[in-house]
Amino acid sequence: MTVPAALDPRRWWSDAITADRLLLAVKTAAAAALAWYLAPLVPLAQSEYSYYAPLGVLVSMYPTVARSASSGAQAVVGLALGIGLGLGSLAVVSTGLPRIVAVAAVILVGVLLAGVRALGVGRDWVAIAGLFVLLLGGADPDGYSVSYLITMAFGVVVGVVVNLVVVPPLRVKKADDRLSELRDDLGEALRAMSSSLAGGAFDPEAADRAAAALEATLADVREEVDLADESRRYNPRGRRLQTPRDLGRRRLDALTGTADATRELAAALARLTSGPDVEARLPADARRVLAAAIETVSRLVTTPPEPEATPGELRDAQTALTRYIRSLRSLDAHEDQLNAWEAAVSLRRVIAACGPLSDPDADTAAR
């Protein structure tokens, strides 16, 4: 029986044991220990609640400095709202309301407030903090609430500072690697289409599988590029990078357009090569010209955007596409030629998507 990828222990291990994750784990552990050690020195907070400081570190440690700061602030705001909710419920309980009703009311209001998107990760802490104050506040709810909030906030500050000072995470190279992998996967998909078409054995199911794999890869790469852009914010290491801030985004846009056009090309080829009258729709000579055009475009896709190489590949791709268009115009009119022209349009879209990265003055050089 095949184990789904999401349940494969090897996938769990590869996701957990990475250089970035190991660094984050070590920094979080060190920050939590430091926060717990220093918590008794925090003014206005009772030392018996020092264990909330490591919890503050946990809610603020994320793969980027920007997300650490924003998530930590959101958590503190959510805690403040929850503590206010808990103190309000205690005031109502002091009037004689059964505590079980107060528990239900805190959960009800806390879950409603968790729907406020502006609170971010703080949404999850409203009901929890309210319940803690109600049930654990004891005889000194005010002292507990102040200690809870201040100690957690202190832990958040420690977490953000440690994340900023100790090797602040920068994900630009990883995003660049993933973009290069996607570029190579797209080129390989186009080469496979060209080879199967030239051999007269185009497999639409294999093309569909390749397109589906490209879609999954594209989603992963988009997430990595978003993380890379975020990792440069408030990051002193990011300011020293020589590459343009929007380079990854421009490469992603180009590859997204290429992936969309590649899927459309696969669909057009599937329709074009299905059925018994393939020769009438696209004769063998025209198929060979189309296969050659796809092969040439695949080289354009896989060529790194360098001033010396890319413009030449761009010209070759345009020339090959023009040759295919001329071959179509020389054919007799046929009602099913629409798919043949759609293949040309798809190749034109790939070339157009790669065009901006072929400008030597665009400062887009990448691996």
Side-chain angles (χ1 to χ4, degrees):
M1 185 178 72
T2 303
V3 179
L7 301 179
D8 189 347
R10 292 171 298 180
R11 176 68 179 272
W12 292 8
W13 179 260
S14 64
D15 289 343
I17 308 301
T18 64
D20 291 333
R21 181 55 57 174
L22 284 170
L23 177 60
L24 180 63
V26 171
K27 291 201 301 184
T28 303
L34 179 64
W36 181 77
Y37 177 76
L38 296 177
L41 306 177
V42 176
L44 304 180
Q46 300 175 17
S47 60
E48 61 187 287
Y49 300 116
S50 296
Y51 52 83
Y52 284 123
L55 185 58
V57 170
L58 284 176
V59 303
S60 66
M61 288 297 266
Y62 281 85
T64 68
V65 175
R67 193 175 302 184
S68 286
S70 62
S71 298
Q74 291 166 353
V76 172
V77 172
L79 282 170
L81 288 174
I83 288 172
L85 179 61
L87 290 174
S89 65
L90 281 174
V92 175
V93 167
S94 66
T95 65
L97 183 73
R99 191 173 292 266
I100 189 173
V101 176
V103 168
V106 166
I107 297 299
L108 173 65
V109 177
V111 171
L112 289 175
L113 289 175
V116 180
R117 295 182 180 180
L119 291 175
V121 299
R123 296 183 296 176
D124 300 329
W125 288 95
V126 178
I128 294 174
L131 195 61
F132 277 15
V133 171
L134 177 62
L135 300 181
L136 303 178
D140 184 20
D142 292 337
Y144 172 81
S145 299
V146 171
S147 298
Y148 184 15
L149 180 61
I150 291 179
T151 307
M152 281 281 288
F154 173 72
V156 166
V157 171
V158 171
V160 172
V161 170
V162 169
N163 209 14
L164 176 64
V165 174
V166 182
V167 193
L170 193 61
R171 304 289 291 264
V172 175
K173 184 180 183 304
K174 186 172 182 179
D176 180 64
D177 290 342
R178 295 291 284 129
L179 284 165
S180 297
E181 290 173 12
L182 175 59
R183 179 196 66 199
D184 294 341
D185 289 346
L186 284 166
E188 180 58 36
L190 288 168
R191 279 192 294 271
M193 291 183 199
S194 172
S195 176
S196 61
L197 184 64
F202 184 79
D203 185 353
E205 292 185 358
D208 287 342
R209 289 193 297 271
L214 286 174
E215 183 66 24
T217 302
L218 183 60
D220 291 341
V221 172
R222 185 178 291 111
E223 181 179 353
E224 197 62 51
V225 170
D226 290 340
L227 196 58
D229 289 345
E230 183 181 279
S231 73
R232 295 183 70 158
R233 295 170 56 200
Y234 315 127
N235 193 327
R237 296 173 63 203
R239 299 191 188 98
R240 295 193 292 266
L241 291 177
Q242 300 299 317
T243 56
R245 183 174 292 273
D246 66 339
L247 173 58
R249 186 65 52 186
R250 280 186 282 164
R251 293 185 68 197
L252 177 63
D253 290 343
L255 292 175
T256 299
T258 300
D260 291 341
T262 299
R263 288 195 297 270
E264 292 176 2
L265 176 63
L269 293 180
R271 293 189 295 268
L272 196 59
T273 57
S274 64
D277 57 341
V278 176
E279 190 66 24
R281 280 173 283 171
L282 193 67
D285 289 342
R287 283 203 307 275
R288 283 193 289 271
V289 174
L290 175 56
I294 296 174
E295 170 66 26
T296 305
V297 169
S298 75
R299 292 199 298 271
L300 168 65
V301 171
T302 56
T303 300
E306 299 171 350
E308 297 80 10
T310 311
E313 293 291 350
L314 181 63
R315 287 192 298 270
D316 291 345
Q318 291 169 334
T319 301
L321 177 58
T322 300
R323 190 178 299 116
Y324 170 61
I325 292 174
R326 287 174 180 168
S327 71
L328 287 182
R329 288 173 176 164
S330 67
L331 299 177
D332 294 332
H334 191 282
E335 62 180 5
D336 288 336
Q337 270 194 9
L338 179 62
N339 290 315
W341 282 102
E342 186 175 342
V345 171
S346 298
L347 289 177
R348 176 71 70 188
R349 287 188 59 199
V350 174
I351 294 172
C354 295
L357 295 181
S358 304
D359 181 2
D361 298 324
D363 195 13
T364 56
R367 266 191 327 104

